[in-house]
């Protein structure tokens, strides 16, 4: 039995990007046994995409969509701050 395909919507797009961000952070998908390796740069990319989505849909979202998008961005930003930079990414210079 295949799962039903959700209706194409802003909420569906937000959830798709959120799922990709979480996978990039090393959070396993409920259907997968093993956690994928974290890739902080890709995780930040997906968070940035959600920020662009927020910016570009300003004034066009419902109150519920706005609240959901703001909560998603807050939660993902908190998680991304806990990620260690990838080994091949140069560390930021200390002031």
């Amino acid at each position: 039995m295949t799962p039903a395909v959700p209706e194409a919507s802003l909420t569906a797009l937000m959830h798709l990007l959120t799922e990709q961000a979480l996978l990039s952070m090393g959070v396993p998908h409920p259907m997968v046994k093993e956690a994928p390796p974290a890739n902080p740069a890709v995780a930040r990319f997906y968070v940035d995409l959600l920020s662009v989505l927020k910016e570009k849909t300003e004034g066009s979202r419902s109150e519920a969509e706005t609240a959901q998008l703001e909560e998603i961005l807050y939660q993902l930003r908190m998680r991304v701050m806990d990620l260690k930079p990838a080994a091949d990414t140069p560390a930021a210079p200390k002031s």
Side-chain angles (χ1 to χ4, degrees):
M1 183 172 161
T2 58
V5 176
E7 180 182 336
S9 65
L10 181 59
T11 301
L13 181 58
M14 289 186 302
H15 286 279
L16 177 70
L17 293 172
T18 301
E19 185 175 297
Q20 292 304 308
L22 290 170
L23 287 170
S24 298
M25 291 178 198
V27 176
H29 188 277
M31 303 293 285
V32 179
K33 293 179 184 175
E34 258 184 65
N39 187 330
V42 174
R44 286 180 184 89
F45 169 75
Y46 282 111
V47 174
D48 289 345
L49 279 179
L50 281 159
S51 296
V52 169
L53 183 67
K54 180 182 179 199
E55 177 186 326
K56 296 297 183 178
T57 59
E58 196 68 45
S60 300
R61 297 182 306 269
S62 69
E63 286 182 33
E65 290 168 334
T66 297
Q68 187 174 32
L69 184 53
E70 287 175 357
E71 179 64 19
I72 286 170
L73 279 168
Y74 174 78
Q75 294 296 329
L76 289 177
R77 287 174 177 149
M78 292 298 106
R79 280 182 178 249
V80 112
M81 286 176 23
D82 291 337
L83 292 177
K84 293 182 173 70
D88 59 347
T89 304
K94 295 183 180 180
S95 308

